[in-house]
Amino acid sequence: MRGIDEQQERYAALDRVIENYAGEEGQLIRILQGAQEIFGYLPEEVQAYIAGKLGLPVSEVNGVVTFYSLFTTEPKGEYTINVCTGTACYVQGAQDILDDLRRTLKLTGGDTTEDGLFTVKSTRCVGACGLAPVLTVNDEVHGKFTRRDVSRLIRMYKKRSEVKAGDQISERPGTYQEQSPAGH
Amino acid sequence: MIKSLRDLEHIKNSRLPDIRLRTGNVGSNDTLHVLVCTGTGCTSSESRALIEEMVKQLKSRDLQHRVKVFKTGCFGFCKMGPIVMVHPGEIFYCLVEKEDVDELIESHFINGNVVERLLYQDERSHGVAYRRSDINFFRAQNRVVLRNCGLINPEDIGEYIAMDGYFALADVLVNKQPGEVIDIISASGLRGRGGGGFPVGRKWAIAAAARGDVKYVVCNADEGDPGAFMDRSILEGDPHSVLEAMTIAGYCIGAQRGYIYVRAEYPIAVDRLEIAIDEARDNGLLGRNIFGTDFHFDIDLRLGAGAFVCGEETALLRSAMGRRGEPRPRPPYPAECGLWGKPTLLNNVETFANIPLILRYGADWFASMGTEGSKGTKVFSLAGKVNNTGLIEVPMGTSIRTIVFDIGGGIPENREFKAVQTGGPSGGCIPVEHIDTPIDYESLKEKGSMMGSGGLIVMDETDCMVDIARFYLHFSQDESCGQCTPCRVGTKRMLEILERITKGEGTMEDLETLEELGEEIKDASLCGLGMAAPNPVLSTLRYFRDEYIAHIRDKKCPAGVCRALLDYAIDEEKCVSCGICAKACTVNAIRGEQKGRPYFIDRQKCLKCGACLARCPKEAIYTG
């Protein structure tokens, strides 16, 4: 019963996050961010669990979750493509890129492909306006993007997903990785 | 641990030779410093892979002691990234790739021959620029707040100290009374850089006078305006300047705790801040008994979670307490009743970054820059339809023309300049007839826009101003927290009208309705978001009414943007009947034979998505 073990591990990880921050006042958002990193999204059970642990009404936790756009209550695809629709990107054609992506991935209603590989969303300015138009795939930023790059991008990540499945590497997307400083 | 001014001087003196090499104050020395930008722009352009490759190759040639590689913050010239600067000589390389490393090492680092093909080529003069100071983009700037960005390693507190960092704090704690410091800030004329332009000295004085034994200092790093990234670059390139200023503020108002509220969308900035806070604590510059005095101060981060309204101060404070970021009516202002009901001083990143400089060089020095009512410099993020996109800093009062044409290098493809948008969703568009307007708080307001946090988006003849107004209103509408009716419902009604107009279904009465509604929303909304939301519509109505009328009366979009008003057609002369467009069309609206006669578009079926136009290799598809 591997699935149950995994779920238990996730809750154990969540407990550690809660323990880490529960002593400080007003850290609900940090805890929810941690929970989303662990579970990939914030289903009702997780919200209720956090509320119980912190002694808050579930409604308050849910109110916070639904207020902020970085929280999601739906599971996301393996790769989340966020097309920046800040002004600089918008005037350089970000809307067309977003439309092309959705069309190429055959997204009509929801934001996630049927195979669970891609989620396509628009995002507020990522602050890389000098490279507009910009999109991010998980935490990788692709600048000076054009409509012609759309199919190449999708092919690239499809291939990466296949390679990863082959290698059985459990690299977790959505985690920011910074290199250690050079020159020391 | 740094316990006194002497300790600080000791660190400065030991680190200064390194920095002198970069500021051009050192003669021939065999050592080379290679600075690689690791701001968000250059990181997106693979600068980290570049650093790895360079370090690896230097090591394999056993050059790592003579040629040192450093990460730095943003140089500002994001479009030409990754940027590599080599000292001595401030040789400025652009668009450097991993594959160029070998040549750089062999030719420049070993044999002393600059690699010309990687230098900046000026399109207008067709000249090559060797040094940063030879490039027009930098020549008209005055980098004061950004002085350390692109010079020091933001993850090394020693380099910040070598550039006189934390000396202002030491002086304030040891030699000055809080009131004296506030007087200096007031005399400098510094105004808040986050948007409204409230005098900073007055704000500090109010917070200092507020009664309460517990107070807080909060830094607003929730840079939500789309198209603005100066706060991000300061945090990424010079995080200690913000920590130092917040600590000074804490001393002045009597606070022991500070919070930086930063967007979660800025992972590099969050990382650098965490490193900086740890370094400051390790050195005793945050924590208990700073500089051996009885003053204690510490700083923590609070992460935002994606809500534009949290840039508004009362909403930000609620969010920093872990709640929904809903604004509340003022007064009471945060200076009296802020975080957990305690007096709270709230300034934005760029405002704080000015403070150590003012205290170090004096109020007169600061007030010598800028205009009558707006002192100092301002950092702008220059983006949109302009050749040199990036981050710039100019004295207040610099004209839009200087920024767009001298620094920005004009409009790509020789198209016509149409307008510049300032102030994000709260600001407005300034048209070509006001291109010589000096930029300061008052002049922008007079023209129907506002300073905002400093995003400057340049627009050319291919941008539709009705669509831009719709874009901003859609943004504000989406980000409205929904508490007050004028903002929640009013912006929705305005958006519906604008959408109608962009579809060619508007009426002339709509224009008056937009203006009336806009004024009412401005008057009646609860917070700044609602009060400013109609600005992009009102300012475009003021300067570009003709465009609105063209959409309504002639059913035409003069800029060729609004899809519903365009017709796609194929130029028979140019079409080579390759069939790529027909494959791109998802509704089978394009038909033709593979080889033979030109293809054609069925207007009844066409969704006007433009997918065909983007793919056509011969540019045979046009809109009209």
Side-chain angles (χ1 to χ4, degrees):
Chain A
M1 299 299 275
R2 215 169 145 238
I4 292 175
D5 287 351
E6 272 181 22
Q7 200 65 358
Q8 272 177 350
E9 263 173 45
R10 289 198 184 108
Y11 275 101
L14 177 58
D15 281 342
R16 286 193 291 276
V17 171
I18 293 172
E19 214 171 288
N20 205 0
Y21 291 114
E24 286 176 66
E25 216 178 336
Q27 284 285 35
L28 177 59
I29 291 176
R30 255 292 167 81
I31 291 168
L32 289 170
Q33 279 164 347
Q36 185 158 296
E37 252 180 56
I38 294 164
F39 290 87
Y41 69 115
L42 297 169
E44 269 177 36
E45 308 87 82
V46 173
Q47 294 177 37
Y49 185 82
I50 293 171
K53 284 266 173 180
L54 296 177
L56 296 171
V58 184
S59 61
E60 194 177 323
V61 175
N62 183 260
V64 170
V65 169
T66 51
F67 187 84
Y68 296 98
S69 64
L70 291 187
F71 294 131
T72 169
T73 52
E74 302 284 324
K76 278 191 190 171
E78 186 178 343
Y79 296 106
T80 298
I81 306 177
N82 268 313
V83 181
C84 175
T85 48
T87 323
C89 292
Y90 183 77
V91 299
Q92 304 275 23
Q95 190 63 44
D96 288 334
I97 292 170
L98 184 62
D99 292 348
D100 280 5
L101 272 169
R102 292 188 61 92
R103 204 166 28 236
T104 314
L105 291 169
K106 301 196 168 55
L107 293 169
T108 42
D111 295 328
T112 305
T113 53
E114 268 178 32
D115 58 5
L117 201 55
F118 293 103
T119 297
V120 179
K121 295 191 115 169
S122 64
T123 183
R124 296 299 178 224
C125 189
V126 298
C129 313
L131 300 173
V134 170
L135 59 81
T136 62
V137 183
N138 293 345
D139 277 339
E140 285 177 23
V141 183
H142 299 263
K144 297 180 195 166
F145 202 84
T146 69
R147 296 179 80 172
R148 285 169 203 271
D149 299 323
V150 166
S151 34
R152 187 187 50 80
L153 183 91
I154 292 169
R155 270 203 309 277
M156 183 175 119
Y157 282 97
K158 270 189 179 159
K159 210 167 167 187
R160 204 183 277 190
S161 170
E162 283 162 19
V163 171
K164 238 167 49 179
D167 287 354
Q168 289 289 319
I169 297 170
S170 60
E171 178 197 339
R172 198 176 66 220
T175 313
Y176 173 67
Q177 291 151 351
E178 171 74 299
Q179 306 294 330
S180 58
H184 288 288
Chain B
M1 284 297 265
I2 298 166
K3 280 281 154 213
S4 66
L5 195 58
R6 270 186 57 187
D7 294 346
L8 201 62
E9 268 164 1
H10 179 73
I11 293 181
K12 178 182 168 177
N13 292 336
S14 70
R15 301 300 302 273
L16 201 56
D18 264 4
I19 302 288
R20 282 225 173 106
L21 183 80
R22 297 180 213 163
T23 50
N25 294 329
V26 86
S28 68
N29 181 328
D30 204 32
T31 313
L32 289 181
H33 280 193
V34 181
L35 309 181
V36 185
C37 176
T38 50
T40 297
C42 286
T43 303
S44 315
S45 311
E46 308 285 335
S47 71
R48 274 191 246 147
L50 180 69
I51 294 177
E52 266 174 47
E53 182 68 20
M54 206 176 278
V55 169
K56 199 177 89 190
Q57 291 206 25
L58 286 170
K59 215 166 181 181
S60 71
R61 290 175 169 90
D62 202 24
L63 285 170
Q64 71 272 28
H65 301 294
R66 194 175 76 79
V67 183
K68 292 181 181 165
V69 183
F70 296 90
K71 293 201 312 193
T72 67
C74 184
F75 285 90
F77 209 178
C78 309
K79 189 194 164 194
M80 302 307 287
I83 284 167
V84 174
M85 191 140 99
V86 184
H87 292 286
E90 63 162 21
I91 308 297
F92 195 84
Y93 290 119
C94 309
L95 298 167
V96 184
E97 291 176 16
K98 246 164 65 173
E99 291 69 34
D100 302 321
V101 169
D102 185 59
E103 188 181 350
L104 273 177
I105 294 178
E106 288 295 328
S107 171
H108 186 163
F109 303 168
I110 296 178
N111 294 314
N113 299 319
V114 172
V115 182
E116 282 208 18
R117 67 176 183 87
L118 293 174
L119 294 173
Y120 177 70
Q121 318 265 342
D122 194 321
E123 277 168 29
R124 280 181 298 178
S125 67
H126 302 289
V128 179
Y130 280 82
R131 294 156 175 274
R132 175 162 71 169
S133 47
D134 295 338
I135 301 171
N136 282 326
F137 177 76
F138 292 102
R139 211 177 278 162
Q141 292 193 49
N142 185 6
R143 289 165 75 91
V144 174
V145 172
L146 298 176
R147 73 202 178 285
N148 284 338
C149 293
L151 178 71
I152 64 169
N153 177 355
E155 296 177 6
D156 184 347
I157 194 171
E159 297 203 349
Y160 178 68
I161 292 172
M163 291 303 293
D164 293 333
Y166 288 107
F167 278 81
L169 176 65
D171 179 52
V172 162
L173 291 188
V174 177
N175 302 322
K176 287 194 169 71
Q177 293 299 316
E180 282 176 70
V181 180
I182 294 175
D183 287 344
I184 296 171
I185 307 285
S186 298
S188 75
L190 175 66
R191 294 170 65 177
R193 298 297 194 235
F198 192 80
V200 177
R202 204 187 307 163
K203 205 176 202 177
W204 286 33
I206 295 169
R211 268 190 277 175
D213 45 353
V214 177
K215 295 183 187 180
Y216 296 102
V217 176
V218 176
C219 173
N220 182 348
D222 188 52
E223 189 170 45
D225 280 9
F229 55 102
M230 45 279 143
D231 290 348
R232 152 175 233 166
S233 298
I234 294 170
L235 294 175
E236 287 176 358
D238 198 13
H240 285 286
S241 65
V242 176
L243 303 186
E244 184 182 1
M246 287 177 71
T247 313
I248 293 170
Y251 173 73
C252 290
I253 70 159
Q256 297 197 349
R257 194 148 195 88
Y259 292 99
I260 302 175
Y261 182 89
V262 55
R263 300 178 77 196
E265 290 96 325
Y266 284 3
I268 299 180
V270 171
D271 243 42
R272 298 256 158 89
L273 278 172
E274 280 174 345
I275 293 170
I277 290 172
D278 283 347
E279 275 193 302
R281 280 184 192 147
D282 290 346
N283 284 284
L285 297 168
L286 283 177
R288 299 190 65 78
N289 301 104
I290 300 171
F291 283 108
T293 63
D294 55 6
F295 174 65
H296 319 304
F297 193 75
D298 210 344
I299 297 175
D300 257 325
L301 297 185
R302 283 287 186 271
L303 262 53
F308 175 67
V309 71
C310 289
E312 198 277 341
E313 57 182 15
T314 60
L316 182 147
L317 293 175
R318 279 202 176 153
S319 181
M321 293 186 277
R323 302 183 196 150
R324 287 166 69 92
E326 288 168 338
R328 63 160 174 79
R330 297 174 304 182
Y333 286 89
E336 285 151 355
C337 175
L339 217 51
W340 289 292
K342 308 291 184 196
T344 302
L345 173 69
L346 193 74
N347 280 136
N348 104 317
V349 172
E350 193 186 336
T351 312
F352 276 126
N354 273 294
I355 299 286
L357 292 168
I358 293 171
L359 294 171
R360 188 109 192 109
Y361 303 115
D364 292 341
W365 163 81
F366 187 81
S368 71
M369 297 179 289
T371 62
E372 185 61 38
S374 309
K375 301 296 186 193
T377 61
K378 179 78 193 82
V379 184
F380 291 103
S381 47
L382 187 59
K385 305 288 178 62
V386 61
N387 277 314
N388 301 334
T389 52
L391 196 72
I392 64 161
E393 182 174 354
V394 289
M396 289 276 191
T398 304
S399 74
I400 295 171
R401 186 189 297 277
T402 305
I403 292 175
V404 174
F405 288 93
D406 295 346
I407 299 173
I411 316 296
E413 297 171 38
N414 283 323
R415 285 199 289 255
E416 289 283 319
F417 170 85
K418 187 173 194 174
V420 56
Q421 208 279 349
T422 72
S426 313
C429 293
I430 297 174
V432 67
E433 53 270 31
H434 295 303
I435 193 169
D436 289 308
T437 300
I439 295 191
D440 65 25
Y441 292 100
E442 276 70 33
S443 67
L444 287 180
K445 214 167 186 179
E446 207 176 281
K447 302 281 182 296
S449 186
M450 67 180 281
M451 181 73 78
S453 55
L456 278 182
I457 312 280
V458 182
M459 296 176 188
D460 69 14
E461 56 192 308
T462 62
D463 290 309
C464 169
M465 302 317 278
V466 184
D467 183 59
I468 292 295
R470 186 201 58 78
F471 165 80
Y472 278 115
L473 204 67
H474 180 266
F475 181 93
S476 300
Q477 211 281 314
D478 198 34
E479 292 292 341
S480 170
C481 79
Q483 275 190 112
C484 74
T485 319
C487 177
R488 183 185 67 241
V489 182
T491 57
K492 180 90 180 157
R493 294 290 97 83
M494 281 181 84
L495 182 61
E496 285 165 0
I497 295 173
L498 282 170
E499 279 173 348
R500 236 174 25 231
I501 295 175
T502 56
K503 284 181 188 151
E505 295 162 5
T507 63
M508 290 304 285
E509 290 76 50
D510 281 341
L511 299 184
E512 280 160 42
T513 314
L514 279 175
E515 278 168 334
E516 265 174 46
L517 252 175
E519 292 301 336
E520 277 162 22
I521 294 168
K522 279 177 87 161
D523 284 344
S525 290
L526 170 68
C527 82
L529 188 152
M531 285 186 240
N535 283 349
V537 183
L538 297 176
S539 93
T540 48
L541 268 171
R542 176 170 162 190
Y543 295 117
F544 300 97
R545 210 177 185 88
D546 290 356
E547 274 191 55
Y548 281 85
I549 294 173
H551 283 74
I552 295 169
R553 280 210 186 128
D554 313 334
K555 314 285 177 215
K556 286 264 181 266
C557 173
V561 172
C562 298
R563 279 185 195 165
L565 302 180
L566 298 179
D567 271 325
Y568 285 81
I570 295 175
D571 185 336
E572 297 190 356
E573 300 277 303
K574 287 184 182 170
C575 177
V576 293
S577 47
C578 64
I580 291 174
C581 56
K583 266 192 213 152
C585 181
T586 48
V587 290
N588 295 324
I590 305 182
R591 270 173 291 157
E593 295 156 34
Q594 189 70 25
K595 274 175 197 155
R597 292 172 20 171
Y599 278 49
F600 70 94
I601 299 175
D602 183 343
R603 285 188 187 170
Q604 300 298 319
K605 282 187 176 175
C606 175
L607 297 176
K608 301 173 180 178
C609 70
C612 53
L613 186 140
R615 304 272 167 80
C616 177
K618 296 288 171 193
E619 295 180 358
I621 298 173
Y622 63 95
T623 56

